[in-house]
């Protein structure tokens, strides 16, 4: 058996055992993880320093970007404290497992319940940012999933040190009375690329793949596995300035959406402008963007307005068709003038990535039309696309942002790691007992009120 | 542009328009479909007769199975009335679109809502059974999805006649005042295999593939598309006779689960027997199965019990490893003796298809352990696996049974065709307005009660 298959089978076995672990025991494991991460701070920071030293040489040799280098660090400022705080944050989210989402009496003595349960085994592939190890491990533990983690090679020592701390914490959390011990192989780390391509084949053992990284990483994974993938390749968000856009709101929102964190997937990449406001609202937005150092890739009509307003600069260039549908992840924005609200919607549905799109308008009817017809995980009225984030939505933590149209969409928290199963409690019935004719039963299909007795029925 | 791409693009355009169609208009279209299907009954039945005549020749030539032939028919007995009734049944299900599943105040004047919406464009591939055209078209219309349908070539004339009736009904339903007209290309039928392989490539336009047919059809589709697939390849359901199984319940349930409709995906294919009841409860179950003409593929220990009870017959044979994990879809059952409840669970998790599994026991604790640890869409206590069905669950209609671990699991009704999006209503905020420091806002994250004003907010 290959080492990848051993890892996948061990994860599946751990997942089977995780079905019977109580919330209290999951919480005990999380608190123990926090404790071990505090105790081992010095050795984890040492591993991080070694990774950074090696990476520094790569940066100097021009083989690693300085932004990637910055994301390696886990010790500066409040970073380690934030990492520890993250464990508590996940511990505090209410446990979704065992929640009843449907309860129905099919017949007397034949009761059906739909109950939330873990997805099973998740494979998480990420680049740089070693704190993801802790974040994902905690989310997996809280949701009762087994996780296989593969980080970037630049952070290999840090990832390994964090993973060992987590595994030690799991191993040294005592089982609660009458309960299975928390399975040690619930959280595993793999380190080579070969293992990943083998793991992507193991749809027998792995239920969900969560890639967190560059477009090319995500697209490679989507194209090379039959396992469902949760995440997004592109974050092509648009903001549309409608006929009745308020100029102050427009300036504030667009500047925030573009410059607050240009590398983020929820940064706005395209600005659509209704023709009637191109020489008014748009000119003020363009002025503010230029002042913030944003490069404007403008179509013919917006370029004319920029020139007419005397805003020509080295930051302004003519957009090509390729600018629309492109994720800059930098201080660049594509600009197109449209003749109607519907044209803006059609542009977004054709060129966007179904992530998050915003309309700036004072006209409620236009906002509602836009929000209903734009096919995206997030549709915003007079707010920055940058709000698309699990923490900002109040989910407590985020496993990723999904542009899928199935399962989880948008910022995904613990719920994205859960599914449900149907429990049926009978008293010896066969399906043939129901139907038309003498002595046959009819289905009652009465909803059972989901009161506290039902709510507690499946919670451990 | 290929004809497949034209179909896919037209479906996507229809899907975009479907976002603004009200429940009342969807209902009007469904009622018009019922009417046209009544008016055109004679020509649809004629098309069905032509399909059956052609198929009869294929059966005689040994190229088509008689069970497939039977499923072609839509006119005998109550079949056409049932088809018409099915339209009303879907119309009566409450409309899931616009339901609010989360409402949260992020800050003053910054409100977040999670609202149920259609998945988008669904590609449905099915074999024989032309009534699926009507059933799926109605479910798609009710849930606001565009659908592309591809049926078996044996039913080509019937499928075409039904599709034309549906399209005529859509075209002749007047638009309601102030509303978009229901898009005519919401429901399209394609007929060639070439088109299917092209459509499976169009993840840009198609959001969900729903195959309904043989294992090999489903597996082929799963292996040849990046689009999410909702369905099941195998239905390998097991029933486990626990130590304290009641003999009467065991006999009734197992005979029903195996013989009520052996070709169904929810029929039991494997019987697991606790060693302590092999010469008692199991012998009575075996006797009843043999009396019903079921072929028993028995492992060594169950075979010995059968022989000792004097039940040898031509229907009994020695099981090989291949019998476990095999879907017979016929009057065959694989039998294995296990030494413990955990062995039964491990066997099911290793050999089952995550569809539906049952335990027969009088011991509540064992039932709960089994139901929690078996990884399947349905886990049953003292009931037949045959209950795994959307109609029996009271969903009103079924688009399929899913053995996926994400999105929809088990019998899937309208909900399986929906997803959600996040609506954010702001007043000009940027994400940079929030954080630590002077003048910065803090997130409130207050839940908004989902009362009638919130519930009505997104319903058309």
């Amino acid at each position: 058996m290959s080492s990848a298959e051993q890892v996948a089978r061990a994860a599946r076995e751990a997942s089977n055992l995780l079905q019977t672990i109580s919330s209290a025991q999951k919480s005990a494991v999380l608190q123990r993880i926090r404790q071990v991460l505090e105790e081992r701070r010095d050795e984890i920071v040492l591993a991080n320093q070694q990774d950074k030293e090696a990476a520094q040489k790569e940066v100097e040799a021009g083989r690693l970007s300085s932004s990637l280098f910055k994301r390696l660090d886990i010790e500066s400022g409040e970073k380690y404290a934030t990492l520890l705080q993250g464990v508590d944050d996940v511990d505090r989210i209410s446990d979704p497992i065992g929640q009843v989402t449907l309860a129905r009496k099919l017949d007397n003595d034949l009761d059906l319940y739909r109950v939330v349960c873990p997805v099973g085994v998740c494979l998480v592939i990420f680049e740089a940012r070693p704190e993801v190890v802790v974040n994902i491990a905690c989310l997996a533990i809280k949701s009762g999933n087994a996780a296989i983690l593969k980080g970037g090679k630049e952070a290999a020592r840090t990832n390994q040190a964090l993973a060992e701390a987590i595994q030690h914490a799991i191993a040294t959390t005592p089982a609660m009375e009458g309960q299975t011990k928390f399975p040690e192989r619930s959280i595993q780390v793999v380190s080579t690329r070969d293992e990943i391509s083998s793991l992507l084949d193991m749809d027998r053992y792995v239920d969900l793949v969560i890639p967190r990284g560059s477009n090319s990483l995500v697209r490679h994974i989507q194209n090379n596995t039959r396992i469902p993938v949760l995440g997004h390749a592109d974050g092509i968000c648009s903001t549309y300035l409608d006929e009745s856009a308020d100029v102050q709101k427009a300036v504030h929102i667009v500047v925030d959406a573009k410059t607050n964190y240009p590398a983020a997937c929820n940064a706005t990449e395209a600005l659509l402008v209704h023709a009637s406001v191109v020489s008014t609202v748009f000119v003020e937005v363009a002025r503010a963007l230029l002042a913030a150092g944003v490069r404007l890739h403008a179509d013919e009509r917006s370029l004319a307005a920029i020139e007419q307003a005397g805003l020509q600069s080295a930051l302004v260039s003519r957009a090509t068709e390729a600018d629309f549908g492109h994720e800059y992840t930098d201080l660049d924005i594509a600009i197109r003038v449209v003749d109607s609200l519907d044209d803006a919607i059609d542009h977004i549905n054709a060129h966007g990535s179904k992530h998050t799109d915003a309309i700036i308008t004072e006209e409620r009817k236009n906002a509602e039309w836009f929000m209903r017809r734009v096919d995206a995980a997030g549709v915003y009225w007079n707010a920055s696309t940058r709000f698309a984030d699990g923490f900002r939505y109040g989910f407590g933590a985020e496993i990723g942002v999904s542009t899928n149209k199935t399962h989880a969409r948008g910022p995904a928290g613990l719920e994205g790691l859960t599914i449900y199963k149907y429990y049926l409690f009978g008293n010896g019935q066969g399906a043939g007992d129901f139907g038309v004719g003498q002595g046959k039963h009819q289905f009652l299909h009465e909803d059972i009120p989901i009161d506290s007795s039902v709510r507690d029925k499946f919670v451990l």
Side-chain angles (χ1 to χ4, degrees), chain A:
Chain A
M1 200 185 297
S2 71
S3 73
E5 189 171 355
Q6 282 171 13
V7 167
R9 277 187 64 154
R12 167 59 60 202
E13 284 161 19
S15 162
N16 290 340
L17 293 172
L18 283 167
Q19 308 308 314
T20 51
I21 301 285
S22 71
S23 279
Q25 182 144 345
K26 293 191 284 193
S27 185
V29 167
L30 290 175
Q31 284 311 311
R32 179 76 184 126
I33 287 174
R34 193 192 196 293
Q35 193 178 26
V36 175
L37 288 174
E38 283 191 277
E39 288 165 8
R40 296 195 177 182
R41 181 180 175 138
D42 288 349
E43 62 188 278
I44 291 165
V45 164
L46 185 66
N48 191 235
Q49 282 163 353
Q50 291 169 344
D51 278 335
K52 284 189 291 185
E53 277 162 33
Q56 183 61 48
K57 291 185 190 132
E58 295 293 301
V59 173
E60 283 158 14
R63 286 189 295 263
L64 193 74
S65 74
S66 62
S67 69
L68 209 68
F69 177 79
K70 261 189 247 161
R71 292 157 76 196
L72 267 183
D73 176 68
I74 60 161
E75 55 158 336
S76 320
E78 294 297 304
K79 281 195 160 187
Y80 205 85
T82 306
L83 184 150
L84 294 175
Q85 181 60 43
V87 181
D88 282 335
D89 289 345
V90 173
D91 190 21
R92 262 200 306 272
I93 309 172
S94 73
D95 187 343
I97 303 303
Q99 285 175 13
V100 177
T101 59
L102 179 149
R104 185 170 290 164
K105 189 173 276 307
L106 302 192
D107 193 9
N108 292 320
D109 275 343
L110 190 64
D111 294 339
L112 180 73
Y113 296 88
R114 186 171 64 197
V115 182
V116 175
C117 65
V119 164
V121 174
C122 302
L123 171 62
V124 185
I125 303 163
F126 58 102
E127 291 171 331
R129 297 194 52 210
E131 66 267 33
V132 169
V133 172
V134 178
N135 192 233
I136 296 286
C138 292
L139 284 166
I141 287 164
K142 182 81 185 191
S143 58
N145 285 279
I148 304 169
L149 307 172
K150 162 74 173 73
K153 67 174 187 308
E154 301 77 16
R157 295 175 191 85
T158 319
N159 292 341
Q160 194 57 42
L162 290 169
E164 279 168 15
I166 290 165
Q167 284 159 347
H168 176 72
I170 292 172
T172 54
T173 306
M176 290 193 163
E177 212 187 303
Q179 280 188 41
T180 318
K181 194 169 177 328
F182 200 93
E184 291 187 23
R185 298 192 71 178
S186 297
I187 307 296
Q188 299 178 89
V189 171
V190 298
S191 53
T192 73
R193 266 183 172 268
D194 296 354
E195 282 172 309
I196 286 301
S197 68
S198 306
L199 285 166
L200 290 174
D201 269 341
M202 293 190 186
D203 49 337
R204 191 172 154 205
Y205 298 120
V206 179
D207 298 304
L208 188 63
V209 181
I210 304 172
R212 294 179 35 151
S214 66
N215 313 21
S216 59
L217 172 81
V218 177
R219 204 160 286 126
H220 173 79
I221 289 165
Q222 288 170 332
N223 289 335
N224 287 282
T225 187
R226 282 186 305 273
I227 304 168
V229 177
L230 190 157
H232 64 275
D234 296 304
I236 303 167
C237 303
S238 300
T239 298
Y240 164 60
L241 305 181
D242 190 36
E243 272 184 285
S244 68
D246 175 271
V247 64
Q248 274 194 299
K249 290 178 191 172
V251 168
H252 186 63
I253 289 169
V254 177
V255 170
D256 180 272
K258 183 67 257 178
T259 70
N260 179 257
Y261 186 15
C265 61
N266 53 18
T268 283
E269 305 291 356
L271 180 65
L272 302 172
V273 182
H274 191 279
S276 67
V277 296
V278 71
S279 60
T280 54
V281 181
F282 167 66
V283 165
E284 296 314 314
V285 170
R287 196 187 308 276
L289 287 170
L290 290 168
V294 177
R295 288 172 290 275
L296 311 184
H297 304 262
D299 75 341
E300 194 179 342
R301 289 197 276 176
S302 56
L303 197 58
I306 290 167
E307 285 167 0
Q308 214 170 357
L311 296 173
Q312 295 98 323
S313 108
L315 292 171
V316 178
S317 66
R318 176 75 184 266
T320 64
E321 196 50 39
D323 280 298
F324 301 96
H326 182 66
E327 186 174 9
Y328 298 110
T329 65
D330 210 338
L331 286 173
D332 294 82
I333 195 163
I335 301 163
R336 171 168 282 174
V337 176
V338 294
D339 292 309
S340 68
L341 173 60
D342 278 345
D343 284 356
I345 292 168
D346 290 344
H347 175 95
I348 292 170
N349 285 340
H351 295 87
S353 68
K354 304 183 196 299
H355 190 298
T356 304
D357 300 290
I359 180 171
I360 318 294
T361 187
E362 295 301 302
E363 189 63 64
R364 167 174 289 275
K365 221 180 133 200
N366 290 5
E368 286 177 350
W369 185 255
F370 177 93
M371 295 169 95
R372 193 172 279 272
R373 287 212 39 219
V374 165
D375 183 18
V379 284
Y380 292 6
W381 179 16
N382 288 345
S384 164
T385 56
R386 285 276 297 136
F387 284 107
D389 172 283
F391 296 92
R392 291 176 184 148
Y393 279 12
F395 296 167
E398 181 179 281
I399 51 157
V401 179
S402 164
T403 54
N404 297 357
K405 296 288 292 282
T406 53
H407 192 61
R409 198 178 191 200
L414 271 191
E415 275 185 47
L417 296 175
T418 68
I419 184 70
Y420 50 77
K421 62 184 179 184
Y422 288 96
Y423 285 67
L424 182 65
F425 296 88
N427 189 28
Q429 296 93 332
D433 307 348
F434 292 77
V436 190
Q438 222 199 344
K440 293 281 187 182
H441 288 238
Q442 305 297 314
F443 285 106
L444 292 176
H445 290 154
E446 278 170 14
D447 283 335
I448 299 168
I450 301 183
D451 59 16
S452 63
S453 73
V454 171
R455 273 196 299 273
D456 294 345
K457 203 173 162 68
F458 300 93
V459 172
L460 282 180

